[in-house]
Amino acid sequence: MEELIKLLIALMIAVAIIKVWEIFKSTSRGSGLKVPANSKISTGTKNEPLPYVRKKYFLSVAEHEFMKVLEEIIQDKYYIFPQVHISSLLRPSGDRSTRYTYRNKINRKSVDFVILEKNNLKPMLAIELDDRSHNSQRRQKRDHFVNKAFESANLPLLRVRASKNYNKDEIRQKMNEFFVSPNKENEH
């Protein structure tokens, strides 16, 4: 009887070791990604295609139309960069822990457009094109945080309501509040 109990315990230990080994194998396919062994998700470690396709367009129709308006206003005096990650514009200050925390808060967030000086690529103005998605409570909370981040960094952020038609003079006037318009004669 005692030998039967020892045999059962040894069998249970062997099963546990096998289960642990299976879990280990399925979560470490050489890439550090946690992908179950029976998953059809590729980790890119073999010569198999990954499930990505090129987007048809870089900007939405509304963003593209607004960019045309910006190009008309800015002309060739400044650069206009679309879809810029906030972490490319702002960096957190403070101790290491604070920097890490606040860097994570801006990771994966972007602004629709940034106006940059041509001679040194200094960001002059960030622009957010606010469509209906900005009406949700979750988005308003995100927008409030982004507004405060840009304010803290002393980089102006202009919010423009998305529209089918834009009044170029009105947008130019709003931009003039942040820096001298390239269309003015006495430019800096």
Side-chain angles (χ1 to χ4, degrees):
M1 183 69 146
E2 217 175 285
E3 286 188 32
L4 184 59
I5 291 174
K6 287 180 183 178
L7 183 63
L8 283 174
I9 291 173
L11 184 60
M12 288 176 20
I13 291 172
V15 168
I17 290 172
I18 291 170
K19 287 291 183 191
V20 168
W21 177 251
E22 286 175 353
I23 291 169
F24 175 76
K25 268 183 37 179
S26 70
T27 60
S28 61
R29 290 184 168 175
S31 67
L33 297 174
K34 293 183 179 174
V35 180
N38 62 350
S39 172
K40 294 183 186 210
I41 296 174
S42 173
T43 60
T45 56
K46 299 177 182 173
N47 272 345
E48 52 195 18
L50 294 174
Y52 295 105
V53 294
R54 178 176 47 180
K55 287 177 145 186
K56 191 170 183 180
Y57 302 104
F58 181 65
L59 299 175
S60 70
V61 172
E63 291 166 339
H64 187 225
E65 290 303 314
F66 187 73
M67 183 149 179
K68 289 180 196 175
V69 170
L70 283 177
E71 287 173 337
E72 236 179 276
I73 293 170
I74 296 295
Q75 296 171 358
D76 65 347
K77 306 293 183 189
Y78 296 91
Y79 288 125
I80 304 167
F81 283 17
Q83 299 299 325
V84 177
H85 285 264
I86 294 173
S87 60
S88 295
L89 301 167
L90 310 180
R91 65 176 177 78
S93 62
D95 64 37
R96 182 182 214 149
S97 174
T98 301
R99 288 192 314 263
Y100 180 80
T101 298
Y102 281 90
R103 186 176 23 255
N104 284 339
K105 289 181 177 286
I106 60 174
N107 276 349
R108 295 181 306 279
K109 287 182 175 70
S110 63
V111 290
D112 294 317
F113 301 96
V114 177
I115 309 300
L116 299 115
E117 283 188 351
K118 277 195 166 186
N119 62 340
N120 58 14
L121 296 179
K122 178 183 177 184
M124 299 298 294
L125 175 67
I127 301 173
E128 276 280 78
L129 192 57
D130 292 346
D131 58 13
R132 285 182 287 172
S133 71
H134 290 259
N135 295 337
S136 75
Q137 188 175 11
R138 182 172 167 239
R139 189 61 187 246
Q140 286 177 359
K141 186 177 177 182
R142 178 248 186 224
D143 288 349
H144 177 74
F145 175 82
V146 169
N147 291 347
K148 296 290 281 179
F150 275 84
E151 182 182 318
S152 294
N154 201 26
L155 178 58
L157 174 64
L158 173 63
R159 291 193 171 276
V160 176
R161 188 50 110 177
S163 173
K164 289 185 189 271
N165 300 310
Y166 295 99
N167 181 326
K168 291 178 191 106
D169 291 330
E170 186 179 308
I171 293 169
R172 185 179 292 112
Q173 184 178 0
K174 286 180 181 180
M175 291 173 72
N176 283 342
E177 294 173 16
F178 299 109
F179 62 93
V180 178
S181 169
N183 294 338
K184 287 192 170 186
E185 290 179 30
N186 296 328
E187 190 178 337
H188 57 84

